[in-house]
Amino acid sequence: MLSKRASTITPSITLGISSKVKELKAKGETIINLSIGEPDFLTPDKVKEAGKKAIDDNITKYDAASGNLELKKAICEKLEKENGLHYDTDQVVISSGAKHSITNALLATINPGDEVLIPIPYWVSYPEMVRLVGGEPILVQTKKENGFKVTLEDIEPHLSDKTRMIILTNPSNPTGNVFNKEELQKLVGALVEKNILILADEIYERVVYDEPFTSIPTLSEDIYNHTILINGLSKSASMTGWRLGYSASNKELAKAMGSIQSHLTSHPSTITQAASITALRQCDEEIKHMVATYKERRDLILDFFKDWGRLDIIPPVGAFYVFVDIGPLAEKIKEDSLSLKVCDDMIEEHKVAFVPGIGFGQDDFLRLSYAASLEDIKEGLKRFKTYVENLLED
Ligand SMILES: Cc1ncc(COP(=O)(O)O)c(C=O)c1O
């Protein structure tokens, strides 16, 4: 009954963890959830008000397929002001979440059999999305000593005449690491010279702590023309459920993505789009407050791992995740998947949820999300330390 496409698709491991947490909570258990991939803040009140007003003002009819013009203007203003990027409104396509923007981008560029480079560790959905559009995901192992930031050296053995695109996530989910300008220049410059397209997923770009953020299309005109920039409001404005993502690219690609979207979903909800104009133009303070709060939590976690001194982490510079090296536990755990076993033990025995690194292609790590209260983070870390110490002393 199923298409080949549907029969090979695997369910999202992160959603699997969420179901497990829900199942345990339904049984009356209290779970410390450090597995969550969404901000723990509410959508700013101003945005909610704008959404309600849109309903009262009857902004409830079809709009332009590639997105509302006023919202496109607000996106162009944001890109100019915050990222130093100039785009015209006809280079922007607004979709129902960054996930949908990425799907449009792949549908517009990937032919069956085209190869798409995806550095490991990767965000769980990329390989499946590439397969869904008929492309071939080429997984590229990166190195812990480089903070898992992919280098040209990592990529070179995987290049072929079918290489069409690379997906770069900056800041990274799951590592929280961020490329600096020089690293990007070297890497992206060389790939674009080979006519490889860059899908730049910058959804966490507002959540960066220590360094200025470099948006990939700012690097050169050639890079700008070869890049499909992906962003959205899920993470920055805490609007995950509203579903608002966008792409910015050259006009030819934007036109194609708009046409594809016109036949699939038309456009995101008009109510969401109206509220998003407010999120982009009036929520700077709220976003700064969220980022300052994440930074406080990040600092606490850095101190915890430094004081403990038992396990390494990739020191996070952005997003709200810490990637923890559980490799040393392999001497005690002889299961097929180290990270699944550790995360299973943590949730079953210690009531703390993490995401196993295997979901990101890196089984000797786990992902801790600090989109959670300081209290929960402290308690979750304490229980994790107890688990690790007991295991290693056995
Ligand atoms: C790297 C990355 N890209 C894209 C998305 C999807 O964002 P959206 O909720 O806007 O579809 C996520 C969500 O977790 C993500 O982590």
Side-chain angles (χ1 to χ4, degrees):
M1 183 187 272
L2 293 178
S3 65
K4 271 193 202 151
R5 195 175 271 139
S7 57
T8 57
I9 201 93
T10 55
S12 155
I13 204 154
T14 40
L15 293 183
I17 305 283
S18 308
S19 317
K20 177 104 190 172
V21 171
K22 277 190 197 132
E23 187 191 307
L24 291 170
K25 280 187 175 166
K27 284 189 194 158
E29 310 237 29
T30 309
I31 304 293
I32 294 182
N33 196 353
L34 303 181
S35 74
I36 301 176
E38 66 181 341
D40 57 318
F41 298 96
L42 299 175
T43 300
D45 284 342
K46 282 177 206 159
V47 177
K48 293 197 270 190
E49 287 309 318
K52 290 179 205 167
K53 185 168 181 318
I55 297 175
D56 290 339
D57 290 350
N58 295 307
I59 304 182
T60 54
K61 303 284 186 179
Y62 286 136
D63 199 340
S66 61
N68 173 268
L69 185 60
E70 195 55 29
L71 177 55
K72 285 189 184 181
K73 285 184 190 160
I75 289 168
C76 291
E77 284 160 24
K78 175 257 178 285
L79 292 172
E80 187 101 51
K81 188 171 113 209
E82 291 176 16
N83 306 105
L85 281 165
H86 179 78
Y87 285 99
D88 293 324
T89 51
D90 58 356
Q91 294 179 269
V92 173
V93 178
I94 303 168
S95 304
S96 300
K99 259 185 188 166
H100 189 213
S101 302
I102 298 168
T103 312
N104 282 339
L106 294 171
L107 282 168
T109 53
I110 303 303
N111 286 314
D114 278 354
E115 295 180 353
V116 178
L117 303 169
I118 303 178
I120 301 173
Y122 47 77
W123 177 52
V124 285
S125 293
Y126 296 141
E128 297 299 350
M129 286 167 149
V130 169
R131 277 189 204 104
L132 276 173
V133 305
E136 185 79 35
I138 303 294
L139 304 179
V140 178
Q141 186 60 57
T142 62
K143 298 186 188 70
K144 179 185 159 189
E145 59 266 32
N146 296 332
F148 291 120
K149 290 193 263 189
V150 70
T151 63
L152 266 185
E153 218 183 17
D154 299 327
I155 289 171
E156 261 151 12
H158 298 278
L159 293 173
S160 82
D161 54 6
K162 291 192 198 148
T163 311
R164 175 85 172 125
M165 175 186 273
I166 184 165
I167 303 184
L168 293 175
T169 327
N170 194 35
S172 158
N173 173 9
T175 70
N177 218 342
V178 178
F179 287 96
N180 65 35
K181 189 170 180 178
E182 290 66 40
E183 288 163 342
L184 283 175
Q185 196 91 53
K186 197 167 158 213
L187 173 70
V188 180
L191 295 173
V192 163
E193 258 176 42
K194 295 181 198 299
N195 211 18
I196 293 173
L197 294 173
I198 315 293
L199 192 137
D201 183 346
E202 299 186 356
I203 185 109
Y204 291 97
E205 146 261 2
R206 283 296 301 255
V207 190
V208 172
Y209 310 117
D210 308 315
E211 307 171 4
F213 175 76
T214 303
S215 178
I216 289 179
T218 58
L219 294 169
S220 76
E221 200 182 326
D222 207 15
I223 291 175
Y224 176 98
N225 284 324
H226 278 78
T227 300
I228 304 174
L229 177 68
I230 304 289
N231 207 330
L233 295 179
S234 292
K235 316 289 173 171
S236 59
S238 204
M239 290 178 67
T240 43
W242 295 75
R243 310 307 300 132
L244 200 290
Y246 59 88
S247 62
S249 63
N250 68 45
K251 289 188 187 186
E252 186 192 6
L253 281 173
K255 193 168 171 220
M257 285 188 269
S259 301
I260 290 167
Q261 175 162 297
S262 74
H263 294 293
L264 295 180
T265 60
S266 294
H267 53 74
S269 147
T270 48
I271 299 152
T272 291
Q273 292 193 75
S276 300
I277 297 172
T278 300
L280 283 165
R281 290 192 173 142
Q282 294 178 40
C283 289
D284 225 38
E285 285 313 308
E286 287 86 343
I287 294 173
K288 279 187 187 144
H289 166 73
M290 294 185 216
V291 176
T293 310
Y294 291 136
K295 183 173 186 306
E296 192 188 337
R297 298 169 183 171
R298 190 278 311 248
D299 291 346
L300 176 132
I301 296 168
L302 282 179
D303 287 347
F304 173 89
F305 279 96
K306 198 164 149 228
D307 293 346
W308 182 20
R310 183 73 98 162
L311 298 181
D312 289 342
I313 58 169
I314 304 300
V317 196
F320 37 74
Y321 306 113
V322 187
F323 214 39
V324 183
D325 185 353
I326 53 169
L329 309 189
E331 62 179 81
K332 298 286 179 179
I333 293 177
K334 305 287 174 212
E335 303 269 333
D336 285 349
S337 165
L338 174 67
S339 63
L340 273 178
K341 171 70 177 141
V342 170
C343 290
D344 227 49
D345 287 350
M346 280 306 301
I347 197 163
E348 294 289 348
E349 294 165 19
H350 298 269
K351 313 299 172 205
V352 183
F354 299 119
V355 180
I358 197 168
F360 310 103
Q362 194 70 47
D363 192 33
D364 48 352
F365 276 71
L366 61 77
R367 190 193 76 179
L368 179 163
S369 159
Y370 48 95
S373 68
L374 267 182
E375 199 188 353
D376 274 4
I377 295 167
K378 282 184 198 160
E379 183 57 29
L381 286 172
K382 194 172 118 197
R383 294 187 199 177
F384 180 54
K385 181 175 171 183
T386 306
Y387 166 78
V388 171
E389 292 297 342
N390 286 345
L391 190 75
L392 292 178
E393 270 161 28
D394 253 4

